[in-house]
Amino acid sequence: MARRKKNNRTLYWFLGIAVLGLLTIVILRSQGIIGKENKIKVQTAESEVRSIFSRVTESGTIQPTIDVPVAPDVSGEVVFLAVKEGMRVKKGDLLVTIRPDDYESILEQSQAGLAQAKAGQLQARASLAQAKASLLQDSVNFARNMQLFKDNVISRAEMENFQLQYNISQSQYNSAELEVQAAYYRVQNSQASVKQARQNLDRTNIYASMDGTITELNVEIGQRVVGTMQMAGTEILKIADLSSMEVVVEVNENDIVNVSLGDSSRIEVDAFPGQNFYGRVSEIAYSARVAEMGSTDQVTNFEVTVIISPDSYSSMIATNDVPARDESPFRPGMTSLVEIFTNYVNDAVVVPIAAVTAGRKEQNDSTRVQGEEVEPQEVVFVVEEGKVKEVPVELGISDDNFIEVKDGVQNGATIVTGPYSLLSKRLKEGDEVEESKENKKSRKQNT
């Protein structure tokens, strides 16, 4: 009995080894490592001629091209709101009124000060006329008595008194002239105070500076606001021209060198799935926006502005009975994805991006000096008569799926595209290959 159990265990042991060997053979054959013809199964595609676009894709935020924040010039309490968010306004429309009482009082005080200054000016002019008359009289007396002194009719002491009186009148006249000038400047100062007080009173009413839509309203009746004369001021609302919209995106420093003014763009807006809008690059920032500065995660981006073409959404506006020149379907702050087409080549020979790998001829070249670094050459593996040939290529622009081949591959060549592990490490020139069944099926479906 024990002997029979021992024989059964031996039999199971050999059966297990046999099954494991069969599985190993199946796996190796499926990967093309062993087989009747020892061919490697690969995925292939044909090079083709097509137009190719190089692009930069970033997400951004929609905003109006013209967006004007409104802040009061004077401080005070909001007593009247003529608008609400979303309302359209015309240039010159009343928006907000700030309590004018204090500014009316200041205007009345400055007007009273002006009246007083004008009265002082009249008084100074009267004093000047009186001083002028006194000077004229004293000058005549001085001249007459000077002659009498020469004729020895009056004494020197009397003559000196007449001269002293003339000098006093001359000084009083000069002082009166200066007082008239001072009174003139006091009037000018009072007039400026009245003008400023009237302007401040007028500024309690805030009017629209442009045609547009109220996109943001930040105050309520009874709220106190700070004027820009004291500091930055309270931003009470925003007026935007929604007939012209743009998208602002941040482009990485590695891609910004490829972006140019006027580059065409395709825009996808999250609020309108399945619809594409179009525009062009209108602004490129020259100053970077740096995030996580000083850390290993530092990112340097540049703001790029893309104006959305009204022609790409005019049909959407017409369905809402809104003239295309007045509105757009977008609202400030909507999220969008922007593709900026930075380059374009027509009738380019292209291959799938997955087909390009680093060459291995240079790596295995025994003639190069030991320790010398060799810059890897980009190559593709071309299938010719069942064998692969390593072909160096000169590459151009690329999109998400294809890359331009400027030199090295002609149209219609069969190119190895995968598997990735095989293409990047094991495949070498001269290997015999055959196209995998799955690859053949997918190519038939595509054709």
Side-chain angles (χ1 to χ4, degrees):
M1 192 71 175
R3 186 173 184 181
R4 181 180 297 176
K5 289 182 180 180
K6 183 176 181 181
N7 291 337
N8 288 340
R9 282 198 298 269
T10 304
L11 178 61
Y12 293 152
W13 175 259
F14 282 111
L15 286 174
I17 293 175
V19 171
L20 182 61
L22 287 173
L23 289 174
T24 304
I25 293 172
V26 170
I27 293 172
L28 293 177
R29 286 179 64 88
S30 66
Q31 294 185 355
I33 299 175
I34 64 172
K36 185 177 180 180
E37 298 180 357
N38 198 30
K39 291 184 178 180
I40 303 174
K41 286 182 169 39
V42 295
Q43 300 166 0
T44 62
E46 289 188 357
S47 60
E48 56 182 298
V49 174
R50 63 161 60 193
S51 298
I52 187 170
F53 296 86
S54 178
R55 71 193 73 187
V56 174
T57 304
E58 297 290 347
S59 59
T61 303
I62 292 178
Q63 65 182 30
T65 304
I66 301 176
D67 187 7
V68 179
V70 177
D73 292 316
V74 295
S75 302
E77 178 187 349
V78 176
V79 294
F80 178 68
L81 278 176
V83 295
K84 59 182 180 180
E85 198 164 307
M87 180 183 291
R88 289 190 55 78
V89 296
K90 296 290 185 181
K91 182 177 180 179
D93 288 351
L94 177 64
L95 304 175
V96 179
T97 297
I98 296 172
R99 185 177 296 281
D101 300 8
D102 293 341
Y103 300 98
E104 288 174 347
S105 299
I106 294 173
L107 176 60
E108 291 172 357
Q109 291 174 5
S110 60
Q111 287 174 334
L114 175 61
Q116 185 177 1
K118 286 182 176 180
Q121 185 181 35
L122 292 175
Q123 185 177 0
R125 287 175 178 174
S127 298
L128 177 63
Q130 184 177 0
K132 185 176 181 181
S134 297
L135 177 62
L136 179 61
Q137 182 180 358
D138 290 340
S139 66
V140 171
N141 289 337
F142 175 69
R144 183 186 305 118
N145 286 283
M146 175 62 72
Q147 185 62 43
L148 292 176
F149 174 71
K150 290 180 180 179
D151 295 336
N152 294 320
V153 176
I154 60 174
S155 65
R156 178 178 290 279
E158 291 176 312
M159 179 59 204
E160 289 176 350
N161 286 333
F162 286 115
Q163 185 176 7
L164 178 61
Q165 185 62 40
Y166 170 74
N167 290 338
I168 292 173
S169 297
Q170 181 69 52
S171 176
Q172 290 176 341
Y173 176 77
N174 293 337
S175 177
E177 277 190 326
L178 294 175
E179 182 59 29
V180 168
Q181 290 182 3
Y184 169 79
Y185 290 119
R186 283 194 292 270
V187 170
Q188 294 297 311
N189 182 61
S190 297
Q191 287 176 339
S193 297
V194 170
K195 181 179 179 181
Q196 183 179 10
R198 183 174 288 111
Q199 286 177 342
N200 288 339
L201 179 60
D202 293 340
R203 288 168 178 164
T204 58
N205 289 323
I206 302 171
Y207 300 92
S209 59
M210 57 176 279
D211 295 351
T213 302
I214 305 298
T215 58
E216 190 175 320
L217 185 61
N218 301 320
V219 295
E220 299 289 344
I221 292 178
Q223 181 176 338
R224 293 193 61 84
V225 295
V226 177
T228 55
M229 290 190 296
Q230 279 76 28
M231 53 187 68
T234 304
E235 184 179 302
I236 58 176
L237 55 85
K238 281 186 179 181
I239 303 176
D241 180 8
L242 298 184
S243 64
S244 178
M245 304 295 284
E246 62 188 19
V247 185
V248 178
V249 298
E250 291 190 4
V251 178
N252 188 268
E253 59 183 325
N254 297 323
D255 295 323
I256 194 66
V257 294
N258 299 319
V259 179
S260 303
L261 291 174
D263 282 348
S264 59
S265 306
R266 181 170 62 195
I267 303 159
E268 298 177 6
V269 182
D270 291 354
F272 302 99
Q275 299 189 49
N276 290 326
F277 306 95
Y278 301 92
R280 291 192 176 275
V281 174
S282 61
E283 293 181 27
I284 302 173
Y286 280 88
S287 298
R289 298 171 64 91
V290 181
E292 305 292 339
M293 183 179 293
S295 69
T296 56
D297 297 326
Q298 178 173 316
V299 178
T300 303
N301 295 328
F302 292 81
E303 278 195 354
V304 175
T305 303
V306 177
I307 289 186
I308 307 174
S309 171
D311 294 338
S312 64
Y313 57 77
S314 57
S315 59
M316 299 175 60
I317 298 175
T319 58
N320 297 326
D321 297 325
V322 179
R325 64 181 181 276
D326 292 336
E327 282 289 355
S328 74
F330 312 112
R331 294 190 178 187
M334 284 185 171
T335 304
S336 61
L337 183 68
V338 180
E339 289 181 314
I340 303 173
F341 300 102
T342 59
N343 206 345
Y344 168 75
V345 177
N346 193 24
D347 297 332
V349 177
V350 300
V351 299
I353 292 178
V356 180
T357 185
R360 285 184 273 284
K361 285 184 178 180
E362 292 82 357
Q363 297 174 6
N364 300 326
D365 189 356
S366 60
T367 61
R368 67 186 178 92
V369 179
Q370 186 173 2
E372 179 185 355
E373 292 187 2
V374 177
E375 189 172 338
Q377 169 70 51
E378 292 166 318
V379 302
V380 296
F381 287 95
V382 178
V383 180
E384 295 180 351
E385 299 179 353
K387 295 184 178 182
V388 293
K389 180 181 180 181
E390 185 178 318
V391 179
V393 290
E394 180 184 353
L395 303 176
I397 65 173
S398 64
D399 59 16
D400 295 337
N401 300 311
F402 296 93
I403 188 167
E404 177 193 8
V405 179
K406 294 182 176 180
D407 186 35
V409 174
Q410 301 299 318
N411 179 34
T414 302
I415 310 295
V416 178
T417 61
Y420 173 77
S421 59
L422 180 70
L423 185 62
S424 61
K425 296 180 180 179
R426 292 176 44 207
L427 196 63
K428 60 183 182 298
E429 182 160 346
D431 285 346
E432 292 187 357
V433 296
E434 65 175 350
E435 190 174 9
S436 64
K437 293 180 181 180
E438 294 79 4
N439 191 203
K440 289 179 181 179
K441 288 181 181 179
S442 63
R443 287 181 59 185
K444 286 181 180 180
Q445 291 174 357
N446 293 333
T447 55

